[in-house]
Coordinates of all heavy atoms in Angstrom, one line a residue:
M1 N -8.0 -16.0 4.1 CA -7.8 -15.1 2.9 C -8.7 -15.6 1.8 O -8.7 -16.7 1.5 CB -6.3 -15.2 2.5 CG -6.0 -14.3 1.3 SD -4.3 -14.3 0.7 CE -3.4 -13.6 2.1
S2 N -9.4 -14.6 1.2 CA -10.4 -15.0 0.2 C -9.6 -15.2 -1.1 O -8.4 -14.9 -1.3 CB -11.3 -13.8 -0.1 OG -10.7 -12.7 -0.7
T3 N -10.3 -15.8 -2.1 CA -9.7 -16.1 -3.4 C -9.2 -14.8 -4.1 O -8.2 -14.7 -4.7 CB -10.7 -16.9 -4.3 OG1 -11.1 -18.0 -3.6 CG2 -10.1 -17.2 -5.6
T4 N -10.0 -13.8 -3.9 CA -9.7 -12.5 -4.5 C -8.5 -11.9 -3.9 O -7.6 -11.4 -4.6 CB -10.9 -11.5 -4.3 OG1 -12.1 -12.1 -4.9 CG2 -10.6 -10.1 -5.0
Q5 N -8.4 -11.9 -2.5 CA -7.2 -11.4 -1.9 C -5.9 -12.2 -2.3 O -4.9 -11.6 -2.5 CB -7.4 -11.5 -0.4 CG -8.2 -10.4 0.2 CD -8.4 -10.5 1.7 OE1 -8.7 -11.6 2.2 NE2 -8.1 -9.5 2.4
F6 N -6.1 -13.5 -2.4 CA -5.0 -14.4 -2.8 C -4.5 -14.0 -4.2 O -3.3 -13.9 -4.4 CB -5.4 -15.9 -2.7 CG -4.2 -16.8 -3.1 CD1 -3.2 -17.0 -2.2 CD2 -4.1 -17.3 -4.3 CE1 -2.1 -17.8 -2.5 CE2 -3.1 -18.2 -4.7 CZ -2.1 -18.4 -3.7
A7 N -5.4 -13.7 -5.1 CA -5.1 -13.3 -6.4 C -4.3 -12.0 -6.4 O -3.4 -11.8 -7.2 CB -6.3 -13.2 -7.3
M8 N -4.8 -11.0 -5.6 CA -4.1 -9.7 -5.5 C -2.7 -9.9 -4.9 O -1.8 -9.2 -5.4 CB -4.9 -8.8 -4.6 CG -6.2 -8.3 -5.2 SD -7.1 -7.0 -4.3 CE -7.6 -7.8 -2.9
V9 N -2.5 -10.8 -3.9 CA -1.2 -11.0 -3.4 C -0.3 -11.6 -4.4 O 0.9 -11.2 -4.6 CB -1.3 -11.9 -2.1 CG1 0.1 -12.4 -1.7 CG2 -2.0 -11.2 -1.0
E10 N -0.8 -12.6 -5.2 CA 0.0 -13.2 -6.3 C 0.4 -12.2 -7.3 O 1.5 -12.2 -7.8 CB -0.9 -14.3 -6.9 CG -1.0 -15.6 -6.1 CD 0.3 -16.3 -6.0 OE1 0.8 -16.7 -7.1 OE2 0.7 -16.6 -4.9
E11 N -0.5 -11.3 -7.7 CA -0.2 -10.3 -8.7 C 0.9 -9.3 -8.2 O 1.8 -9.0 -8.9 CB -1.5 -9.5 -9.0 CG -1.2 -8.4 -10.0 CD -2.4 -7.5 -10.3 OE1 -3.3 -7.5 -9.5 OE2 -2.3 -6.8 -11.3
L12 N 0.8 -8.9 -6.9 CA 1.8 -8.0 -6.3 C 3.1 -8.7 -6.3 O 4.2 -8.1 -6.6 CB 1.3 -7.5 -5.0 CG 2.2 -6.5 -4.3 CD1 2.4 -5.3 -5.2 CD2 1.6 -6.1 -2.9
A13 N 3.1 -10.0 -5.9 CA 4.4 -10.8 -5.8 C 5.0 -10.8 -7.2 O 6.2 -10.7 -7.3 CB 4.1 -12.1 -5.2
F14 N 4.2 -11.0 -8.2 CA 4.7 -11.1 -9.6 C 5.3 -9.8 -10.0 O 6.4 -9.7 -10.6 CB 3.6 -11.5 -10.6 CG 4.1 -11.5 -12.0 CD1 4.8 -12.6 -12.5 CD2 3.7 -10.5 -12.8 CE1 5.3 -12.6 -13.8 CE2 4.2 -10.4 -14.2 CZ 4.9 -11.5 -14.6
L15 N 4.7 -8.6 -9.6 CA 5.2 -7.3 -10.0 C 6.5 -7.0 -9.4 O 7.3 -6.3 -10.0 CB 4.2 -6.2 -9.6 CG 2.9 -6.2 -10.4 CD1 1.9 -5.2 -9.8 CD2 3.2 -5.8 -11.9
V16 N 6.8 -7.5 -8.2 CA 8.1 -7.2 -7.5 C 9.1 -8.3 -7.6 O 10.2 -8.2 -7.1 CB 7.8 -6.8 -6.0 CG1 6.9 -5.5 -6.0 CG2 7.3 -7.9 -5.2
K17 N 8.8 -9.4 -8.2 CA 9.6 -10.6 -8.3 C 11.1 -10.4 -8.4 O 11.9 -10.9 -7.6 CB 9.0 -11.5 -9.4 CG 9.7 -12.9 -9.5 CD 9.0 -13.7 -10.5 CE 10.0 -14.1 -11.5 NZ 9.5 -14.8 -12.6
D18 N 11.5 -9.7 -9.5 CA 12.9 -9.5 -9.7 C 13.4 -8.1 -9.5 O 14.4 -7.7 -9.9 CB 13.2 -9.9 -11.2 CG 12.9 -11.3 -11.5 OD1 13.2 -12.2 -10.6 OD2 12.4 -11.6 -12.6
N19 N 12.7 -7.4 -8.7 CA 13.0 -6.0 -8.4 C 13.2 -5.8 -6.9 O 12.3 -5.6 -6.1 CB 11.9 -5.1 -8.9 CG 12.2 -3.6 -8.8 OD1 13.0 -3.2 -8.0 ND2 11.7 -2.8 -9.7
L20 N 14.4 -5.9 -6.4 CA 14.7 -5.9 -5.0 C 14.3 -4.6 -4.3 O 13.7 -4.6 -3.2 CB 16.2 -6.1 -4.8 CG 16.6 -6.4 -3.3 CD1 15.8 -7.6 -2.8 CD2 18.1 -6.7 -3.2
P21 N 14.6 -3.4 -4.9 CA 14.1 -2.1 -4.2 C 12.6 -2.1 -4.1 O 12.0 -1.7 -3.1 CB 14.6 -1.0 -5.2 CG 15.7 -1.6 -5.9 CD 15.4 -3.1 -6.1
S22 N 11.8 -2.6 -5.1 CA 10.4 -2.6 -5.0 C 9.9 -3.6 -4.0 O 8.9 -3.4 -3.2 CB 9.7 -2.9 -6.4 OG 10.0 -1.9 -7.3
K23 N 10.6 -4.8 -3.9 CA 10.2 -5.8 -3.0 C 10.4 -5.2 -1.5 O 9.6 -5.4 -0.7 CB 11.1 -7.0 -3.2 CG 10.6 -8.3 -2.5 CD 11.5 -9.5 -2.7 CE 11.4 -9.9 -4.2 NZ 12.1 -11.2 -4.5
H24 N 11.5 -4.5 -1.3 CA 11.8 -3.9 0.0 C 10.8 -2.9 0.3 O 10.3 -2.8 1.5 CB 13.2 -3.3 -0.1 CG 13.5 -2.6 1.2 ND1 13.8 -3.2 2.4 CD2 13.6 -1.2 1.5 CE1 14.0 -2.3 3.3 NE2 13.9 -1.1 2.8
L25 N 10.4 -2.1 -0.7 CA 9.3 -1.1 -0.4 C 8.0 -1.7 0.0 O 7.4 -1.3 1.0 CB 9.1 -0.2 -1.7 CG 7.9 0.7 -1.6 CD1 8.1 1.9 -0.7 CD2 7.5 1.2 -3.0
V26 N 7.6 -2.7 -0.7 CA 6.3 -3.4 -0.4 C 6.4 -4.1 1.0 O 5.5 -3.9 1.8 CB 6.0 -4.4 -1.4 CG1 4.8 -5.3 -1.0 CG2 5.6 -3.7 -2.7
L27 N 7.5 -4.7 1.3 CA 7.6 -5.4 2.6 C 7.7 -4.4 3.8 O 7.1 -4.6 4.8 CB 8.9 -6.3 2.6 CG 8.8 -7.6 1.8 CD1 10.1 -8.3 1.8 CD2 7.7 -8.5 2.2
S28 N 8.4 -3.3 3.6 CA 8.5 -2.3 4.7 C 7.2 -1.6 4.8 O 6.7 -1.3 5.9 CB 9.6 -1.3 4.4 OG 9.5 -0.6 3.2
M29 N 6.5 -1.3 3.7 CA 5.1 -0.7 3.8 C 4.1 -1.6 4.4 O 3.2 -1.2 5.2 CB 4.7 -0.3 2.4 CG 3.6 0.7 2.4 SD 4.1 2.2 3.2 CE 2.5 2.7 4.0
E30 N 4.2 -2.9 4.1 CA 3.3 -3.9 4.8 C 3.5 -3.8 6.3 O 2.5 -3.8 7.0 CB 3.7 -5.3 4.2 CG 2.8 -6.4 4.8 CD 3.1 -7.7 4.2 OE1 4.3 -8.0 4.0 OE2 2.1 -8.5 4.1
E31 N 4.7 -3.8 6.7 CA 5.0 -3.7 8.2 C 4.4 -2.4 8.7 O 3.8 -2.3 9.8 CB 6.5 -3.8 8.4 CG 6.8 -3.7 9.9 CD 8.3 -3.9 10.2 OE1 9.1 -4.2 9.2 OE2 8.7 -3.6 11.3
A32 N 4.6 -1.3 8.0 CA 4.1 0.0 8.4 C 2.6 0.0 8.5 O 2.0 0.6 9.4 CB 4.6 1.1 7.5
L33 N 1.9 -0.6 7.6 CA 0.4 -0.7 7.6 C -0.1 -1.5 8.8 O -1.0 -1.2 9.4 CB -0.1 -1.3 6.3 CG 0.1 -0.4 5.1 CD1 -0.4 -1.1 3.8 CD2 -0.5 1.0 5.2
V34 N 0.6 -2.6 9.1 CA 0.3 -3.4 10.2 C 0.4 -2.6 11.5 O -0.5 -2.6 12.4 CB 1.1 -4.7 10.3 CG1 0.9 -5.4 11.7 CG2 0.7 -5.7 9.2
N35 N 1.5 -1.9 11.6 CA 1.8 -1.0 12.8 C 0.7 0.1 12.9 O 0.2 0.4 13.9 CB 3.2 -0.4 12.8 CG 4.2 -1.5 13.0 OD1 4.0 -2.5 13.6 ND2 5.4 -1.2 12.5
F36 N 0.4 0.6 11.7 CA -0.7 1.7 11.7 C -2.0 1.2 12.2 O -2.7 1.8 13.0 CB -0.8 2.2 10.2 CG -1.9 3.2 10.1 CD1 -1.7 4.5 10.5 CD2 -3.0 2.9 9.4 CE1 -2.7 5.5 10.3 CE2 -4.0 3.8 9.2 CZ -3.9 5.1 9.7
L37 N -2.4 0.0 11.8 CA -3.6 -0.6 12.2 C -3.7 -1.0 13.7 O -4.7 -1.0 14.3 CB -4.0 -1.9 11.3 CG -4.3 -1.6 9.9 CD1 -4.4 -2.9 9.1 CD2 -5.6 -0.8 9.7
Q38 N -2.5 -1.3 14.2 CA -2.4 -1.6 15.6 C -2.2 -0.4 16.5 O -2.3 -0.5 17.8 CB -1.3 -2.6 15.9 CG -1.5 -3.9 15.2 CD -0.3 -4.8 15.3 OE1 0.8 -4.4 15.6 NE2 -0.5 -6.1 15.1
D39 N -2.0 0.8 15.9 CA -1.7 2.0 16.7 C -3.0 2.7 17.1 O -3.7 3.2 16.3 CB -0.8 2.9 15.8 CG -0.4 4.2 16.6 OD1 -0.6 4.3 17.8 OD2 0.3 5.0 15.9
D40 N -3.2 2.8 18.4 CA -4.4 3.4 18.9 C -4.4 4.9 18.7 O -5.4 5.6 18.8 CB -4.6 3.1 20.4 CG -4.9 1.6 20.6 OD1 -5.5 1.0 19.7 OD2 -4.6 1.1 21.7
N41 N -3.2 5.5 18.5 CA -3.1 7.0 18.3 C -3.5 7.4 16.9 O -3.6 8.6 16.7 CB -1.6 7.4 18.6 CG -1.2 7.1 20.0 OD1 -2.0 7.2 20.9 ND2 0.1 6.8 20.1
S42 N -3.7 6.5 16.0 CA -4.1 6.9 14.7 C -5.6 6.9 14.5 O -6.2 6.3 13.7 CB -3.5 6.0 13.6 OG -3.8 4.7 13.9
A43 N -6.3 7.6 15.4 CA -7.8 7.5 15.5 C -8.5 8.0 14.3 O -9.6 7.5 14.0 CB -8.3 8.3 16.7
D44 N -7.9 8.9 13.5 CA -8.5 9.4 12.3 C -8.5 8.4 11.2 O -9.3 8.5 10.3 CB -7.9 10.8 11.9 CG -6.5 10.7 11.5 OD1 -5.8 9.6 11.7 OD2 -6.0 11.7 10.9
G45 N -7.6 7.4 11.3 CA -7.5 6.4 10.3 C -7.0 6.8 9.0 O -7.2 6.1 8.0
V46 N -6.3 7.9 8.9 CA -5.7 8.3 7.6 C -4.2 8.3 7.7 O -3.6 8.7 8.7 CB -6.2 9.8 7.3 CG1 -5.5 10.3 6.1 CG2 -7.7 9.8 7.2
L47 N -3.6 7.8 6.7 CA -2.1 7.7 6.5 C -1.7 8.3 5.2 O -2.1 7.9 4.2 CB -1.7 6.2 6.6 CG -0.2 5.9 6.5 CD1 0.5 6.5 7.7 CD2 0.0 4.4 6.5
E48 N -1.0 9.4 5.3 CA -0.5 10.1 4.1 C 1.0 9.7 3.9 O 1.8 9.9 4.8 CB -0.6 11.6 4.4 CG -0.4 12.4 3.1 CD -1.0 13.8 3.2 OE1 -1.7 14.1 4.2 OE2 -0.6 14.6 2.3
L49 N 1.3 9.2 2.7 CA 2.6 8.7 2.4 C 3.4 9.8 1.8 O 2.9 10.8 1.3 CB 2.5 7.5 1.5 CG 1.7 6.3 2.0 CD1 1.7 5.2 1.0 CD2 2.2 5.9 3.4
E50 N 4.7 9.5 1.7 CA 5.7 10.4 1.1 C 5.5 10.4 -0.4 O 5.1 9.4 -1.0 CB 7.1 10.0 1.4 CG 7.5 10.1 2.9 CD 7.5 11.6 3.3 OE1 8.0 12.5 2.6 OE2 7.0 11.8 4.5
P51 N 5.8 11.5 -1.2 CA 5.8 11.4 -2.6 C 6.7 10.3 -3.2 O 7.7 10.0 -2.6 CB 6.3 12.8 -3.0 CG 6.0 13.7 -1.9 CD 6.2 12.8 -0.7
M52 N 6.2 9.7 -4.3 CA 7.0 8.6 -4.9 C 6.7 8.6 -6.4 O 5.7 9.1 -6.8 CB 6.8 7.3 -4.2 CG 5.4 6.8 -4.3 SD 5.1 5.3 -3.2 CE 5.1 6.1 -1.6
D53 N 7.5 7.8 -7.1 CA 7.2 7.7 -8.6 C 6.0 6.8 -8.8 O 5.4 6.1 -7.9 CB 8.4 7.1 -9.3 CG 8.8 5.7 -8.9 OD1 7.9 4.8 -8.9 OD2 10.0 5.4 -8.6
S54 N 5.5 6.8 -10.0 CA 4.2 6.2 -10.4 C 4.3 4.7 -10.2 O 3.3 4.1 -9.8 CB 3.8 6.5 -11.8 OG 4.8 6.1 -12.8
Y55 N 5.4 4.0 -10.5 CA 5.4 2.6 -10.3 C 5.3 2.2 -8.9 O 4.5 1.3 -8.5 CB 6.8 2.0 -10.9 CG 6.8 0.5 -10.8 CD1 6.0 -0.3 -11.6 CD2 7.7 -0.1 -9.9 CE1 6.0 -1.6 -11.6 CE2 7.7 -1.5 -9.8 CZ 6.9 -2.2 -10.7 OH 6.9 -3.6 -10.6
N56 N 6.0 2.9 -8.0 CA 5.9 2.6 -6.6 C 4.5 2.9 -6.0 O 4.0 2.2 -5.2 CB 7.0 3.3 -5.7 CG 8.3 2.7 -6.0 OD1 8.5 1.5 -6.3 ND2 9.4 3.5 -5.8
R57 N 3.9 4.0 -6.5 CA 2.5 4.3 -6.1 C 1.6 3.1 -6.6 O 0.7 2.7 -5.8 CB 2.0 5.6 -6.7 CG 2.5 6.8 -6.0 CD 1.8 8.1 -6.4 NE 1.5 8.2 -7.8 CZ 2.3 8.8 -8.7 NH1 3.5 9.2 -8.3 NH2 2.0 8.9 -10.0
L58 N 1.8 2.6 -7.8 CA 1.0 1.5 -8.3 C 1.1 0.3 -7.3 O 0.1 -0.3 -6.9 CB 1.5 1.1 -9.7 CG 0.9 -0.3 -10.2 CD1 -0.5 -0.2 -10.6 CD2 1.8 -0.8 -11.3
L59 N 2.3 0.0 -6.9 CA 2.6 -1.2 -6.0 C 1.8 -0.9 -4.7 O 1.2 -1.9 -4.2 CB 4.1 -1.4 -5.8 CG 4.9 -1.7 -7.0 CD1 6.4 -1.8 -6.6 CD2 4.5 -3.1 -7.6
L60 N 1.9 0.3 -4.2 CA 1.3 0.5 -2.9 C -0.3 0.7 -3.0 O -1.0 0.4 -2.0 CB 1.9 1.8 -2.2 CG 3.4 1.6 -1.9 CD1 3.9 2.8 -1.1 CD2 3.6 0.3 -1.1
H61 N -0.8 1.0 -4.2 CA -2.2 1.0 -4.4 C -2.7 -0.5 -4.3 O -3.7 -0.8 -3.7 CB -2.6 1.5 -5.8 CG -2.8 3.0 -5.9 ND1 -3.8 3.6 -5.2 CD2 -2.1 3.9 -6.5 CE1 -3.7 4.9 -5.4 NE2 -2.7 5.1 -6.3
R62 N -1.9 -1.4 -4.9 CA -2.2 -2.8 -4.9 C -2.2 -3.3 -3.4 O -3.0 -4.1 -3.0 CB -1.3 -3.6 -5.8 CG -1.3 -3.2 -7.2 CD -2.5 -3.6 -7.9 NE -2.7 -3.0 -9.2 CZ -2.2 -3.5 -10.4 NH1 -1.5 -4.5 -10.4 NH2 -2.4 -2.8 -11.5
L63 N -1.1 -2.9 -2.7 CA -1.0 -3.3 -1.3 C -2.2 -2.8 -0.5 O -2.7 -3.5 0.4 CB 0.3 -2.9 -0.7 CG 0.7 -3.3 0.7 CD1 0.8 -4.9 0.7 CD2 2.0 -2.7 1.2
A64 N -2.6 -1.6 -0.7 CA -3.7 -1.0 0.0 C -5.0 -1.8 -0.3 O -5.8 -2.0 0.6 CB -3.9 0.5 -0.4
D65 N -5.2 -2.2 -1.5 CA -6.3 -3.1 -1.9 C -6.3 -4.4 -1.1 O -7.3 -4.8 -0.6 CB -6.3 -3.5 -3.4 CG -6.8 -2.4 -4.3 OD1 -7.6 -1.5 -3.8 OD2 -6.4 -2.4 -5.5
I66 N -5.1 -5.0 -0.9 CA -5.0 -6.2 -0.2 C -5.4 -6.0 1.3 O -6.2 -6.8 1.8 CB -3.6 -6.8 -0.3 CG1 -3.3 -7.3 -1.7 CG2 -3.4 -7.9 0.7 CD1 -1.8 -7.5 -2.0
F67 N -5.0 -4.9 1.9 CA -5.4 -4.6 3.3 C -6.8 -4.1 3.4 O -7.3 -4.0 4.5 CB -4.4 -3.6 3.8 CG -3.1 -4.2 4.4 CD1 -2.1 -4.6 3.6 CD2 -3.0 -4.4 5.8 CE1 -0.9 -5.1 4.1 CE2 -1.9 -5.0 6.3 CZ -0.8 -5.3 5.5
G68 N -7.4 -3.7 2.3 CA -8.8 -3.1 2.3 C -8.9 -1.7 2.7 O -9.9 -1.2 3.1
F69 N -7.8 -0.9 2.5 CA -7.8 0.5 2.7 C -8.5 1.2 1.5 O -8.4 0.8 0.4 CB -6.4 1.1 2.8 CG -5.7 0.9 4.1 CD1 -4.9 -0.1 4.3 CD2 -5.9 1.9 5.1 CE1 -4.2 -0.3 5.5 CE2 -5.3 1.7 6.3 CZ -4.4 0.6 6.5
A70 N -9.2 2.3 1.8 CA -9.6 3.3 0.7 C -8.3 4.0 0.4 O -7.5 4.4 1.3 CB -10.7 4.2 1.2
H71 N -8.1 4.3 -0.9 CA -6.8 4.9 -1.2 C -6.9 5.8 -2.5 O -7.8 5.5 -3.3 CB -5.7 3.9 -1.4 CG -6.1 2.8 -2.3 ND1 -5.8 2.8 -3.7 CD2 -6.8 1.6 -2.1 CE1 -6.2 1.7 -4.2 NE2 -6.8 1.0 -3.3
E72 N -6.1 6.8 -2.5 CA -6.1 7.7 -3.7 C -4.7 8.4 -3.8 O -4.1 8.6 -2.8 CB -7.2 8.7 -3.7 CG -7.1 9.8 -2.6 CD -8.1 10.9 -2.6 OE1 -8.6 11.2 -3.7 OE2 -8.5 11.4 -1.6
S73 N -4.4 8.7 -5.0 CA -3.2 9.5 -5.3 C -3.6 11.0 -5.4 O -4.6 11.3 -6.0 CB -2.5 9.1 -6.6 OG -1.9 7.9 -6.5
V74 N -2.8 11.8 -4.7 CA -3.1 13.3 -4.8 C -1.8 14.0 -5.0 O -0.7 13.5 -4.8 CB -3.7 13.8 -3.4 CG1 -5.1 13.1 -3.2 CG2 -2.8 13.5 -2.3
G75 N -1.9 15.3 -5.5 CA -0.7 16.1 -5.8 C -0.4 16.0 -7.3 O -0.9 15.2 -8.0
E76 N 0.6 16.8 -7.6 CA 1.1 16.9 -9.0 C 2.6 16.6 -9.1 O 3.3 16.9 -8.2 CB 0.8 18.3 -9.6 CG -0.7 18.7 -9.6 CD -1.5 17.9 -10.6 OE1 -0.9 17.5 -11.7 OE2 -2.6 17.6 -10.3
G77 N 3.0 16.0 -10.2 CA 4.4 15.8 -10.5 C 5.1 15.1 -9.4 O 4.7 14.0 -8.9
V78 N 6.3 15.6 -9.0 CA 7.1 15.0 -8.0 C 6.5 15.0 -6.6 O 7.0 14.3 -5.7 CB 8.5 15.6 -7.9 CG1 9.3 15.4 -9.2 CG2 8.4 17.1 -7.5
D79 N 5.4 15.8 -6.4 CA 4.7 15.8 -5.1 C 3.6 14.8 -5.0 O 2.9 14.7 -4.0 CB 4.2 17.2 -4.8 CG 5.3 18.2 -4.6 OD1 6.3 17.9 -4.1 OD2 5.1 19.4 -5.0
R80 N 3.3 14.0 -6.1 CA 2.2 13.1 -6.1 C 2.5 12.0 -5.1 O 3.5 11.4 -5.0 CB 2.0 12.5 -7.5 CG 0.7 11.8 -7.6 CD 0.2 12.0 -9.1 NE -1.1 11.2 -9.3 CZ -2.3 11.7 -9.1 NH1 -2.4 13.0 -8.6 NH2 -3.3 11.0 -9.3
H81 N 1.5 11.7 -4.3 CA 1.6 10.7 -3.2 C 0.3 10.1 -2.9 O -0.8 10.5 -3.4 CB 2.2 11.4 -1.9 CG 1.3 12.5 -1.4 ND1 1.2 13.7 -1.9 CD2 0.5 12.4 -0.3 CE1 0.4 14.4 -1.2 NE2 -0.1 13.7 -0.2
L82 N 0.3 9.0 -2.1 CA -0.9 8.3 -1.7 C -1.4 8.7 -0.3 O -0.7 9.0 0.6 CB -0.6 6.8 -1.6 CG -0.9 5.9 -2.8 CD1 0.1 6.2 -3.9 CD2 -0.8 4.5 -2.4
I83 N -2.7 8.7 -0.2 CA -3.4 8.8 1.0 C -4.3 7.6 1.2 O -5.0 7.2 0.4 CB -4.3 10.1 1.1 CG1 -3.4 11.3 0.9 CG2 -5.1 10.1 2.4 CD1 -4.2 12.6 0.9
L84 N -4.0 6.9 2.3 CA -4.8 5.7 2.7 C -5.7 6.0 3.8 O -5.4 6.7 4.8 CB -3.8 4.6 3.1 CG -2.6 4.3 2.2 CD1 -1.8 3.2 2.8 CD2 -3.1 3.8 0.8
E85 N -6.9 5.4 3.8 CA -7.9 5.7 4.9 C -8.5 4.3 5.3 O -8.9 3.5 4.5 CB -9.0 6.6 4.4 CG -9.9 7.0 5.5 CD -10.9 8.0 5.1 OE1 -10.9 8.4 3.9 OE2 -11.7 8.5 5.9
R86 N -8.4 4.1 6.6 CA -9.0 2.9 7.2 C -10.6 3.0 6.9 O -11.2 4.0 7.0 CB -8.8 2.9 8.7 CG -9.0 1.6 9.3 CD -8.7 1.7 10.8 NE -7.4 2.3 11.1 CZ -6.9 2.5 12.2 NH1 -7.6 2.2 13.3 NH2 -5.8 3.1 12.4
C87 N -11.2 1.8 6.6 CA -12.6 1.8 6.3 C -13.1 0.4 6.8 O -12.3 -0.4 7.4 CB -12.9 2.0 4.9 SG -12.2 0.8 3.7
S88 N -14.4 0.1 6.7 CA -15.0 -1.1 7.2 C -14.3 -2.4 6.6 O -14.4 -3.4 7.3 CB -16.5 -1.1 7.0 OG -16.8 -1.0 5.6
E89 N -13.8 -2.3 5.4 CA -13.1 -3.5 4.8 C -11.7 -3.7 5.2 O -11.1 -4.7 4.9 CB -13.2 -3.4 3.3 CG -14.6 -3.5 2.7 CD -15.3 -2.2 2.7 OE1 -14.7 -1.1 2.6 OE2 -16.5 -2.2 2.9
T90 N -11.1 -2.7 5.9 CA -9.7 -2.8 6.3 C -9.4 -3.9 7.3 O -10.2 -4.0 8.3 CB -9.2 -1.4 6.9 OG1 -9.5 -0.4 5.9 CG2 -7.7 -1.4 7.1
S91 N -8.4 -4.7 7.0 CA -8.0 -5.8 7.9 C -6.5 -6.0 7.9 O -5.9 -5.6 7.0 CB -8.8 -7.0 7.6 OG -8.4 -7.5 6.3

């Protein structure tokens, strides 16, 4: 793990430190991302997530950075959600 990745992990850990629902979201999404990367059926390399509030999107943007996914939020209001895409930096 590079120094930059370590700093990103530390920042994410700080953000969810005392927030059990957010911690659960990050841990379950981390597992989902690992499974997604190991899944040969996801040939297009795109993962579209369910709509969520802005704070949870922020957390998952940070997690996507750690994994090296390209990511963006799309949609409006309660339909706003993340789309993650596997790229050469994804690991």
Side-chain angles (χ1 to χ4, degrees):
M1 181 180 293
S2 73
T3 304
T4 304
Q5 283 177 310
F6 183 76
M8 288 189 292
V9 169
E10 287 287 307
E11 179 185 18
L12 186 57
F14 177 77
L15 288 171
V16 301
K17 182 175 125 185
D18 295 322
N19 187 330
L20 194 56
S22 293
K23 195 179 293 189
H24 177 70
L25 171 70
V26 169
L27 290 174
S28 62
M29 194 64 213
E30 181 179 34
E31 183 178 347
L33 292 178
V34 168
N35 291 338
F36 175 74
L37 290 172
Q38 293 173 344
D39 185 5
D40 294 332
N41 297 326
S42 59
D44 64 351
V46 175
L47 181 61
E48 192 163 347
L49 304 181
E50 295 294 319
M52 63 188 71
D53 66 48
S54 60
Y55 183 70
N56 287 332
R57 283 195 315 275
L58 167 75
L59 296 175
L60 296 187
H61 274 296
R62 302 287 168 87
L63 186 62
D65 281 336
I66 291 167
F67 275 81
F69 280 95
H71 51 94
E72 67 176 328
S73 288
V74 296
E76 297 292 325
V78 296
D79 293 326
R80 195 149 176 87
H81 62 282
L82 264 70
I83 296 179
L84 308 177
E85 185 173 4
R86 196 179 312 179
C87 59
S88 59
E89 291 83 34
T90 307
S91 61

